[in-house]
Amino acid sequence: MESEKKHKTEKATFGAGCFWGIEVTFRNVEGVLDTTVGYMGGHQPDPTYQDVCTGRTGHAEVVQVVYDPAKLNYDQLLQVFWRAHDPTQLNRQGTDVGSQYRSVIFFHSDEQRVMAETTKENWQQSPEFSRREIVTKISPADTFYPAEEYHQQYLVKRGMATCRV
């Protein structure tokens, strides 16, 4: 009897404003196997959406991406991240304001940290951002708290493709 091969997956975590829109963006990337929205980077255990919205827990709204590295690499995910939001807006994205909407890359390995720092430097030197400072933080991943069920695939459940008006 042939033994089953265990499928290798990797994880990446990004904050780029409201997690509803960035979740859809990553969910539609070929090679992404799963996405979960939640909270990371704060100090309060088991925060709720209401807690995080106060801005007092220190958490960012994030999407955790599980992907197949045989079909998609971390650099490709980083390129999606940089294109999906404005990394020059401090603690906000559009009309969403507060530290929970900050631009952040939470790395899960030293390799991810180096790649995140390198792409940040490259984007900073690009013509698009050479005159505006990229404020994206690059931080070690810590405890991930999945958001409440009603936030998971929020836009998909409502037949919407984006948060943008």
Side-chain angles (χ1 to χ4, degrees):
M1 194 165 175
E2 198 174 312
S3 66
E4 285 186 37
K5 273 190 184 178
K6 189 166 184 155
H7 192 70
K8 184 179 183 217
T9 62
E10 292 189 20
K11 190 183 307 181
T13 307
F14 304 100
C18 175
F19 50 30
W20 296 342
I22 196 72
E23 187 273 337
V24 168
T25 299
F26 280 109
R27 179 168 288 286
N28 289 322
V29 174
E30 189 172 335
V32 169
L33 305 173
D34 194 27
T35 57
T36 305
V37 296
Y39 318 109
M40 188 177 276
H43 55 270
Q44 177 181 319
D46 299 312
T48 65
Y49 181 70
Q50 288 74 22
D51 295 332
V52 173
C53 284
T54 68
R56 294 190 299 257
T57 70
H59 291 90
E61 288 191 13
V62 298
V63 61
Q64 194 155 85
V65 177
V66 175
Y67 65 100
D68 179 351
K71 295 181 180 177
L72 177 68
N73 64 45
Y74 187 66
D75 183 62
Q76 290 169 303
L77 288 172
L78 287 166
Q79 299 311 315
V80 171
F81 167 80
W82 294 116
R83 287 184 180 96
H85 76 299
D86 183 348
T88 67
Q89 293 187 349
L90 183 62
N91 293 333
R92 72 175 302 151
Q93 277 302 298
T95 58
D96 293 324
V97 178
S99 62
Q100 70 270 29
Y101 300 116
R102 66 188 177 270
S103 175
V104 60
I105 299 167
F106 288 104
F107 59 87
H108 294 267
S109 68
D110 240 13
E111 181 182 14
Q112 283 188 356
R113 178 188 56 78
V114 169
M115 292 176 78
E117 290 170 351
T118 300
T119 61
K120 180 179 177 180
E121 289 170 22
N122 292 343
W123 277 84
Q124 185 64 73
Q125 294 171 14
S126 72
E128 183 177 357
F129 295 111
S130 63
R131 294 176 188 213
R132 300 184 298 153
E133 181 186 359
I134 290 178
V135 296
T136 303
K137 298 290 182 205
I138 299 172
S139 304
D142 58 12
T143 305
F144 174 74
Y145 297 98
E148 296 79 355
E149 180 55 37
Y150 71 93
H151 288 294
Q152 305 302 327
Q153 298 182 38
Y154 183 87
L155 296 177
V156 171
K157 290 174 184 173
R158 284 153 184 77
M160 300 167 66
T162 181
C163 283
R164 295 193 170 98
V165 185

Coordinates of all heavy atoms in Angstrom, one line a residue, residues 124-162:
Q124 N 10.5 51.0 -1.9 CA 10.8 52.4 -1.5 C 11.6 53.1 -2.5 O 11.4 54.3 -2.7 CB 11.6 52.4 -0.1 CG 11.8 53.8 0.4 CD 10.5 54.6 0.7 OE1 9.9 54.3 1.7 NE2 10.2 55.5 -0.1
Q125 N 12.4 52.4 -3.3 CA 13.2 53.0 -4.3 C 12.5 53.1 -5.7 O 13.0 53.7 -6.6 CB 14.6 52.2 -4.5 CG 15.4 52.4 -3.2 CD 16.6 51.4 -3.3 OE1 17.0 50.9 -4.3 NE2 17.2 51.2 -2.1
S126 N 11.4 52.5 -5.8 CA 10.6 52.6 -7.0 C 10.1 54.0 -7.3 O 9.9 54.8 -6.4 CB 9.5 51.6 -7.0 OG 8.4 52.1 -6.1
P127 N 9.9 54.3 -8.5 CA 9.4 55.7 -8.9 C 8.0 56.0 -8.1 O 7.8 57.1 -7.7 CB 9.1 55.6 -10.4 CG 10.1 54.5 -10.9 CD 10.1 53.5 -9.7
E128 N 7.2 55.0 -7.9 CA 5.9 55.2 -7.3 C 6.1 55.7 -5.8 O 5.3 56.5 -5.4 CB 5.1 53.9 -7.3 CG 3.7 54.1 -6.7 CD 2.9 52.8 -6.8 OE1 3.4 51.8 -7.4 OE2 1.8 52.8 -6.3
F129 N 7.1 55.2 -5.1 CA 7.2 55.6 -3.7 C 8.5 56.3 -3.4 O 8.7 56.6 -2.2 CB 7.2 54.3 -2.9 CG 5.8 53.6 -3.0 CD1 5.7 52.4 -3.6 CD2 4.7 54.2 -2.4 CE1 4.5 51.8 -3.7 CE2 3.5 53.6 -2.5 CZ 3.4 52.4 -3.1
S130 N 9.3 56.7 -4.3 CA 10.6 57.3 -4.0 C 10.4 58.7 -3.3 O 11.3 59.1 -2.6 CB 11.4 57.5 -5.3 OG 10.7 58.4 -6.2
R131 N 9.3 59.3 -3.4 CA 9.0 60.6 -2.8 C 8.1 60.5 -1.6 O 7.7 61.6 -1.0 CB 8.5 61.6 -3.8 CG 9.5 61.9 -4.8 CD 9.0 62.8 -5.9 NE 10.0 62.9 -6.9 CZ 10.2 64.0 -7.6 NH1 9.5 65.0 -7.4 NH2 11.2 63.9 -8.6
R132 N 7.6 59.3 -1.3 CA 6.7 59.1 -0.1 C 7.3 58.0 0.7 O 7.7 56.9 0.2 CB 5.3 58.7 -0.6 CG 4.7 59.8 -1.4 CD 3.2 59.5 -1.8 NE 3.2 58.2 -2.6 CZ 2.1 57.4 -2.6 NH1 1.1 57.7 -1.8 NH2 2.1 56.4 -3.3
E133 N 7.4 58.1 2.0 CA 8.0 57.1 2.9 C 7.0 55.9 3.1 O 5.9 56.1 3.5 CB 8.4 57.7 4.2 CG 9.0 56.7 5.1 CD 9.2 57.2 6.5 OE1 9.0 58.3 6.8 OE2 9.7 56.4 7.3
I134 N 7.5 54.7 2.9 CA 6.8 53.5 3.2 C 6.9 53.3 4.7 O 8.0 53.3 5.2 CB 7.3 52.3 2.4 CG1 7.0 52.5 0.9 CG2 6.7 51.0 3.0 CD1 7.5 51.3 0.0
V135 N 5.7 53.2 5.4 CA 5.7 53.1 6.8 C 5.4 51.7 7.3 O 5.2 51.5 8.5 CB 4.7 54.1 7.4 CG1 5.1 55.6 7.2 CG2 3.3 53.8 6.9
T136 N 5.3 50.8 6.4 CA 5.0 49.4 6.7 C 6.0 48.8 7.8 O 7.2 49.0 7.6 CB 5.1 48.5 5.5 OG1 4.2 49.0 4.5 CG2 4.8 47.0 5.8
K137 N 5.5 48.3 8.8 CA 6.3 47.6 9.9 C 6.6 46.2 9.5 O 5.7 45.5 8.9 CB 5.6 47.7 11.2 CG 5.3 49.0 11.8 CD 6.6 49.7 12.2 CE 6.3 51.1 12.7 NZ 7.5 52.0 12.6
I138 N 7.7 45.7 9.8 CA 8.0 44.3 9.6 C 8.4 43.7 11.0 O 9.3 44.1 11.6 CB 9.2 44.1 8.6 CG1 8.8 44.7 7.3 CG2 9.6 42.7 8.5 CD1 9.9 44.8 6.3
S139 N 7.5 42.8 11.5 CA 7.6 42.3 12.9 C 7.5 40.8 12.9 O 6.9 40.2 12.1 CB 6.4 42.9 13.7 OG 6.4 44.3 13.6
P140 N 8.1 40.2 14.0 CA 7.9 38.8 14.1 C 6.5 38.4 14.4 O 5.8 39.1 15.1 CB 8.8 38.4 15.3 CG 9.1 39.7 16.0 CD 8.9 40.8 15.0
A141 N 6.0 37.3 13.8 CA 4.7 36.8 14.1 C 4.6 36.4 15.5 O 5.5 35.8 16.1 CB 4.4 35.7 13.1
D142 N 3.5 36.7 16.1 CA 3.2 36.2 17.5 C 1.9 35.5 17.5 O 1.5 35.0 16.4 CB 3.4 37.3 18.5 CG 2.4 38.5 18.3 OD1 1.5 38.4 17.4 OD2 2.6 39.5 18.9
T143 N 1.2 35.5 18.6 CA -0.1 34.8 18.6 C -1.1 35.3 17.7 O -1.3 36.6 17.7 CB -0.6 34.8 20.1 OG1 0.4 34.3 21.0 CG2 -1.9 34.0 20.2
F144 N -1.7 34.5 16.9 CA -2.7 34.8 15.9 C -4.1 34.5 16.5 O -4.3 33.3 17.0 CB -2.5 34.1 14.6 CG -3.7 34.3 13.6 CD1 -3.8 35.5 12.9 CD2 -4.6 33.3 13.4 CE1 -4.9 35.7 12.0 CE2 -5.6 33.5 12.5 CZ -5.8 34.7 11.8
Y145 N -5.0 35.5 16.6 CA -6.3 35.2 17.1 C -7.3 35.3 16.0 O -7.5 36.4 15.4 CB -6.7 36.3 18.2 CG -5.8 36.2 19.4 CD1 -4.7 37.1 19.6 CD2 -6.0 35.3 20.4 CE1 -3.9 37.0 20.7 CE2 -5.2 35.2 21.5 CZ -4.1 36.1 21.6 OH -3.3 36.0 22.7
P146 N -7.9 34.2 15.5 CA -8.9 34.3 14.5 C -10.0 35.3 14.8 O -10.5 35.3 16.0 CB -9.4 32.9 14.3 CG -8.3 32.0 14.9 CD -7.7 32.9 16.0
A147 N -10.5 36.0 13.9 CA -11.6 36.9 14.1 C -12.9 36.1 14.2 O -12.9 34.9 13.8 CB -11.7 37.9 13.0
E148 N -13.9 36.7 14.7 CA -15.2 36.0 14.8 C -15.7 35.5 13.5 O -15.3 36.0 12.4 CB -16.2 37.1 15.3 CG -15.9 37.6 16.8 CD -14.8 38.7 16.8 OE1 -14.2 39.0 15.8 OE2 -14.6 39.2 17.9
E149 N -16.5 34.4 13.5 CA -16.9 33.8 12.3 C -17.5 34.7 11.3 O -17.3 34.6 10.1 CB -17.9 32.6 12.6 CG -18.3 31.8 11.4 CD -17.2 31.3 10.5 OE1 -16.2 30.8 11.0 OE2 -17.4 31.3 9.3
Y150 N -18.3 35.7 11.7 CA -19.0 36.5 10.7 C -18.0 37.4 9.9 O -18.4 37.9 8.9 CB -20.1 37.4 11.4 CG -19.6 38.5 12.3 CD1 -19.4 39.8 11.8 CD2 -19.4 38.3 13.7 CE1 -18.9 40.8 12.7 CE2 -18.9 39.3 14.5 CZ -18.7 40.6 14.0 OH -18.3 41.6 14.8
H151 N -16.8 37.5 10.4 CA -15.8 38.3 9.6 C -15.1 37.4 8.6 O -14.5 37.9 7.6 CB -14.7 38.8 10.6 CG -15.1 40.0 11.4 ND1 -15.5 41.2 10.9 CD2 -15.3 40.1 12.7 CE1 -15.9 42.0 11.8 NE2 -15.8 41.3 13.0
Q152 N -15.1 36.1 8.7 CA -14.4 35.2 7.8 C -15.1 35.2 6.4 O -16.3 35.0 6.3 CB -14.4 33.7 8.3 CG -13.8 33.6 9.7 CD -12.3 34.2 9.8 OE1 -11.6 34.1 8.9 NE2 -12.0 34.7 11.0
Q153 N -14.3 35.5 5.4 CA -14.8 35.6 4.0 C -16.1 36.5 3.9 O -17.0 36.3 3.2 CB -15.2 34.2 3.5 CG -14.0 33.3 3.4 CD -14.3 32.0 2.8 OE1 -15.1 31.9 1.8 NE2 -13.7 30.9 3.3
Y154 N -16.0 37.6 4.7 CA -17.1 38.6 4.8 C -17.6 39.0 3.5 O -18.8 39.0 3.3 CB -16.6 39.7 5.7 CG -17.7 40.8 6.0 CD1 -18.5 40.6 7.1 CD2 -17.9 41.9 5.2 CE1 -19.5 41.5 7.3 CE2 -18.9 42.8 5.4 CZ -19.7 42.6 6.5 OH -20.7 43.5 6.8
L155 N -16.8 39.5 2.6 CA -17.2 40.0 1.3 C -17.8 38.9 0.4 O -18.8 39.1 -0.2 CB -16.1 40.8 0.6 CG -15.6 42.0 1.4 CD1 -14.4 42.7 0.7 CD2 -16.7 43.0 1.6
V156 N -17.1 37.8 0.4 CA -17.6 36.7 -0.4 C -19.0 36.3 0.0 O -19.9 36.0 -0.8 CB -16.6 35.5 -0.3 CG1 -17.2 34.2 -1.0 CG2 -15.3 35.8 -0.9
K157 N -19.3 36.2 1.3 CA -20.6 35.8 1.8 C -21.7 36.8 1.4 O -22.8 36.5 1.3 CB -20.6 35.8 3.4 CG -19.8 34.6 3.9 CD -19.7 34.8 5.5 CE -18.9 33.7 6.1 NZ -18.7 34.0 7.6
R158 N -21.2 38.0 1.1 CA -22.2 39.1 0.7 C -22.2 39.3 -0.8 O -22.8 40.3 -1.3 CB -21.9 40.4 1.5 CG -22.4 40.2 2.9 CD -21.6 41.1 3.9 NE -22.1 40.8 5.2 CZ -21.8 39.8 5.9 NH1 -21.0 38.8 5.5 NH2 -22.3 39.6 7.2
G159 N -21.5 38.5 -1.6 CA -21.4 38.6 -3.0 C -20.7 39.8 -3.5 O -20.9 40.3 -4.6
M160 N -19.7 40.3 -2.7 CA -19.0 41.5 -3.0 C -17.5 41.1 -3.4 O -17.0 40.2 -2.8 CB -19.0 42.5 -1.9 CG -20.3 43.0 -1.5 SD -20.4 43.8 0.1 CE -19.4 45.3 -0.2
A161 N -17.0 41.8 -4.3 CA -15.6 41.5 -4.7 C -14.6 42.4 -4.1 O -13.4 42.1 -4.0 CB -15.5 41.7 -6.3
T162 N -15.0 43.5 -3.5 CA -14.1 44.5 -2.9 C -14.8 45.4 -1.9 O -16.0 45.5 -2.0 CB -13.4 45.3 -4.0 OG1 -12.5 46.2 -3.4 CG2 -14.4 46.1 -4.8

